[in-house]
Amino acid sequence: MQPPLKVAIVYPGDGETRRQATPQNNRFAALFDAFAARDIEAIPAVCNREQLEELKAQLLAVDGALVWVNPIDGDGHSRVPLDAMLRDVASAGIFVSAHPDVILKLGTKDVLVETRDLGWGSDCFRLDTLTQLSAELGVRLRGGTTRVLKQWRGHSGIGVWRVQGPRGEGPLRPDSLVRVLHAPRGSVERETTFAEMVALMAPYFEEQGHMIDQEWQPRLPEGMVRCYLVEGCVVGFGLQAVNALCPAPDGSDAAAAPTPSARLYHPPDVPHLQNLKMRLEGEWVPGLRQALGIVGDQLPLLWDCDFLLGKRPIDGEEQYVLCEINVSSVAPFPDSAMTPLVDATASRLRSCRDRRGRGHHSWA
């Protein structure tokens, strides 16, 4: 008889967290229980920069790994060293979700430009230099237009800015006044010159970084819909009524902007979202795979798409605009996602073990 399938659940923590880790003392306890109910051995694998070699040895002893680590940690460090290690692990025949190469295709803001011709697309552009940002954004902000700037890779609203140009002007001058708001919770909208705003964006272009410039969606105050997927199937929704970039009411002080609300979770059969579910599964995910060259079983086991409401519908059918795709660390998630996630993981683990048994070392 073959030994039980083994999966590592990788999440961040310091050395002490790693030493004390058990299936019960972390936010994935319910997932550990769900794997145990399927006779799959799930082990906690705490990740930090100082113990990557120890983590690598741990991952090489399992059939696969589910990784929940943000692109940038609390100290500002990127997960590049972790991604390099995960590539080595995957090349040894261990299943990794999400694979770092798929994250770079799917889980950065570049996806907004690369899929803008799909039905979820919007007016957006890639900005590779600060000079390009200054020249192009200065034109797009004329007449009081609002745009959203997003660093190419991040989380929790870090590096996402709403910028509103002054009314009644042509292309902006360095001394033109603009209103800016950073997305992280607690940020306050303020007025500054266009030149000072451009300087604020300089850090996002360091180390070969870049930004995405996306049109503002006026219906953002009506809320956001997060669609959770296991591979290509929608397994639940998260609804958030108030979002980080909501503006203050007209005539109010910028500090009066509403506080972001909690996200409420729902199963995949929510009646008013069935059209979105159908389009995502039947049209947009296949189009996404084709546009980005995601083949075989490369789709992440668990990922999500955030949608804003587009132009107000005339015929009663709601329009949706892609805001971002989250792949690196999708948690928490709806209870309805648990069983599909465990089922899909079990299937991938078996396939990966079979491939290794035949001498095929490949993650896809």
Side-chain angles (χ1 to χ4, degrees):
M1 293 180 62
Q2 286 192 334
L5 295 168
K6 295 181 68 172
V7 62
I9 297 179
V10 182
Y11 57 93
D14 58 21
E16 182 63 16
T17 302
R18 180 172 173 81
R19 190 178 70 83
Q20 298 284 353
T22 71
Q24 289 76 40
N25 65 359
N26 60 81
R27 61 176 175 166
F28 300 105
L31 184 57
F32 280 98
D33 290 342
F35 279 121
R38 290 286 300 274
D39 295 322
I40 297 172
E41 183 180 353
I43 62 172
V46 175
C47 169
N48 59 70
R49 295 172 63 87
E50 289 73 32
Q51 295 176 294
L52 284 182
E53 285 302 313
E54 184 177 321
L55 176 61
K56 180 177 181 179
Q58 191 176 18
L59 299 186
L60 289 172
V62 299
D63 295 294
L66 301 179
V67 183
W68 276 277
V69 178
N70 281 321
I72 302 171
D73 67 20
D75 296 324
H77 297 122
S78 78
R79 55 173 276 174
V80 168
L82 170 64
D83 287 341
M85 184 271 282
L86 291 175
R87 288 187 180 94
D88 288 344
V89 169
S91 67
I94 308 302
F95 163 64
V96 174
S97 184
H99 190 284
D101 292 347
V102 173
I103 293 175
L104 290 178
K105 289 182 178 182
L106 191 61
T108 73
K109 303 303 188 295
D110 291 341
V111 73
L112 298 174
V113 175
E114 292 165 354
T115 66
R116 62 187 172 188
D117 293 330
L118 294 181
W120 66 20
S122 61
D123 177 59
C124 58
F125 306 89
R126 173 170 166 152
L127 304 172
D128 287 300
T129 67
L130 204 60
T131 300
Q132 182 188 3
L133 181 150
S134 179
E136 296 185 8
L137 190 64
V139 173
R140 288 195 278 269
L141 286 176
R142 60 187 175 187
T145 299
T146 301
R147 306 287 298 184
V148 179
L149 298 177
K150 303 178 178 183
Q151 71 166 325
W152 78 287
R153 191 177 188 186
H155 65 95
S156 304
I158 300 170
V160 177
W161 296 79
R162 175 165 56 84
V163 185
Q164 182 178 7
R167 298 185 183 279
E169 286 198 23
L172 273 60
R173 305 182 307 273
D175 61 348
S176 297
L177 295 178
V178 298
R179 301 198 67 84
V180 297
L181 174 63
H182 199 195
R185 189 181 296 261
S187 301
V188 176
E189 185 182 50
R190 59 192 175 95
E191 190 173 65
T192 187
T193 67
F194 181 59
E196 290 169 337
M197 185 280 298
V198 171
L200 278 175
M201 304 301 125
Y204 305 120
F205 293 89
E206 296 173 356
E207 299 180 356
Q208 299 181 323
H210 57 275
M211 301 192 82
I212 302 300
D213 170 16
Q214 185 178 26
E215 65 178 324
W216 167 256
Q217 298 300 320
R219 296 180 65 196
L220 182 139
E222 296 180 42
M224 175 184 288
V225 180
R226 175 167 288 181
C227 300
Y228 294 87
L229 298 101
V230 168
E231 300 179 306
C233 297
V234 175
V235 296
F237 296 100
L239 303 183
Q240 190 171 13
V242 178
N243 301 282
L245 290 180
C246 280
D250 289 344
S252 302
D253 182 83
T259 301
S261 64
R263 182 174 291 109
L264 303 178
Y265 297 101
H266 301 272
D269 57 357
V270 176
H272 76 282
L273 295 175
Q274 291 309 293
N275 182 59
L276 174 58
K277 178 178 182 294
M278 180 178 63
R279 295 200 70 185
L280 188 54
E281 293 178 341
E283 178 184 346
W284 294 339
V285 170
L288 173 73
R289 290 174 64 113
Q290 182 175 4
L292 302 183
I294 297 176
V295 300
D297 59 0
Q298 293 179 348
L299 276 177
L301 285 184
L302 181 65
W303 53 300
D304 70 60
C305 300
D306 283 344
F307 289 99
L308 303 173
L309 300 179
K311 294 181 180 179
R312 195 172 298 280
I314 298 176
D315 58 1
E317 186 172 296
E318 190 61 82
Q319 303 297 308
Y320 296 94
V321 174
L322 182 66
C323 177
E324 66 176 353
I325 293 177
N326 300 293
V327 179
S328 301
S329 183
V330 181
F333 47 82
D335 291 342
S336 57
M338 189 76 70
T339 297
L341 176 58
V342 172
D343 289 345
T345 302
S347 178
R348 294 273 192 105
L349 295 177
R350 283 192 294 267
S351 295
C352 195
R353 181 178 284 188
D354 290 344
R355 282 199 297 267
R356 288 202 312 274
R358 298 192 302 270
H360 299 303
H361 288 183
S362 172
W363 62 273

PDB file of all heavy atoms in Angstrom, residues 3 22 39 103 126 258 332:
ATOM      1  N   PRO A   3       1.891   5.074   0.957  1.00  0.00           N
ATOM      2  CA  PRO A   3       1.665   5.932   2.126  1.00  0.00           C
ATOM      3  C   PRO A   3       0.644   7.008   1.805  1.00  0.00           C
ATOM      4  O   PRO A   3       0.387   7.311   0.630  1.00  0.00           O
ATOM      5  CB  PRO A   3       3.050   6.522   2.393  1.00  0.00           C
ATOM      6  CG  PRO A   3       3.760   6.457   1.079  1.00  0.00           C
ATOM      7  CD  PRO A   3       3.252   5.214   0.414  1.00  0.00           C
ATOM      8  N   THR A  22       1.549  23.825  14.758  1.00  0.00           N
ATOM      9  CA  THR A  22       0.754  22.594  14.739  1.00  0.00           C
ATOM     10  C   THR A  22      -0.409  22.817  13.774  1.00  0.00           C
ATOM     11  O   THR A  22      -0.707  23.959  13.388  1.00  0.00           O
ATOM     12  CB  THR A  22       0.190  22.257  16.128  1.00  0.00           C
ATOM     13  OG1 THR A  22      -0.852  23.206  16.447  1.00  0.00           O
ATOM     14  CG2 THR A  22       1.278  22.291  17.199  1.00  0.00           C
ATOM     15  N   ASP A  39      -8.106  11.609   4.787  1.00  0.00           N
ATOM     16  CA  ASP A  39      -6.909  10.781   4.973  1.00  0.00           C
ATOM     17  C   ASP A  39      -5.708  11.332   4.203  1.00  0.00           C
ATOM     18  O   ASP A  39      -4.863  10.581   3.698  1.00  0.00           O
ATOM     19  CB  ASP A  39      -7.176   9.329   4.554  1.00  0.00           C
ATOM     20  CG  ASP A  39      -8.209   8.655   5.446  1.00  0.00           C
ATOM     21  OD1 ASP A  39      -8.178   8.919   6.661  1.00  0.00           O
ATOM     22  OD2 ASP A  39      -9.042   7.898   4.928  1.00  0.00           O
ATOM     23  N   ILE A 103       1.989  32.973 -10.867  1.00  0.00           N
ATOM     24  CA  ILE A 103       1.709  34.218 -10.149  1.00  0.00           C
ATOM     25  C   ILE A 103       2.135  35.417 -10.982  1.00  0.00           C
ATOM     26  O   ILE A 103       1.416  36.425 -11.075  1.00  0.00           O
ATOM     27  CB  ILE A 103       2.416  34.225  -8.785  1.00  0.00           C
ATOM     28  CG1 ILE A 103       1.807  33.167  -7.853  1.00  0.00           C
ATOM     29  CG2 ILE A 103       2.320  35.606  -8.133  1.00  0.00           C
ATOM     30  CD1 ILE A 103       2.516  33.028  -6.525  1.00  0.00           C
ATOM     31  N   ARG A 126       0.138  50.443 -19.167  1.00  0.00           N
ATOM     32  CA  ARG A 126       1.341  50.158 -18.386  1.00  0.00           C
ATOM     33  C   ARG A 126       2.275  51.361 -18.459  1.00  0.00           C
ATOM     34  O   ARG A 126       2.512  51.910 -19.541  1.00  0.00           O
ATOM     35  CB  ARG A 126       2.024  48.903 -18.917  1.00  0.00           C
ATOM     36  CG  ARG A 126       3.371  48.625 -18.279  1.00  0.00           C
ATOM     37  CD  ARG A 126       3.910  47.266 -18.650  1.00  0.00           C
ATOM     38  NE  ARG A 126       5.326  47.158 -18.301  1.00  0.00           N
ATOM     39  CZ  ARG A 126       5.949  46.034 -18.001  1.00  0.00           C
ATOM     40  NH1 ARG A 126       5.262  44.894 -18.003  1.00  0.00           N
ATOM     41  NH2 ARG A 126       7.227  46.010 -17.698  1.00  0.00           N
ATOM     42  N   PRO A 258     -16.008  57.329   3.749  1.00  0.00           N
ATOM     43  CA  PRO A 258     -16.489  56.184   4.551  1.00  0.00           C
ATOM     44  C   PRO A 258     -15.386  55.178   4.817  1.00  0.00           C
ATOM     45  O   PRO A 258     -14.486  54.971   4.000  1.00  0.00           O
ATOM     46  CB  PRO A 258     -17.593  55.580   3.683  1.00  0.00           C
ATOM     47  CG  PRO A 258     -17.284  56.043   2.292  1.00  0.00           C
ATOM     48  CD  PRO A 258     -16.670  57.393   2.438  1.00  0.00           C
ATOM     49  N   PRO A 332      -8.850  35.026   4.245  1.00  0.00           N
ATOM     50  CA  PRO A 332      -9.799  33.914   4.347  1.00  0.00           C
ATOM     51  C   PRO A 332     -10.587  33.727   3.059  1.00  0.00           C
ATOM     52  O   PRO A 332     -10.482  34.525   2.132  1.00  0.00           O
ATOM     53  CB  PRO A 332     -10.706  34.344   5.496  1.00  0.00           C
ATOM     54  CG  PRO A 332     -10.673  35.844   5.439  1.00  0.00           C
ATOM     55  CD  PRO A 332      -9.284  36.210   5.014  1.00  0.00           C
TER      56      PRO A 332
END
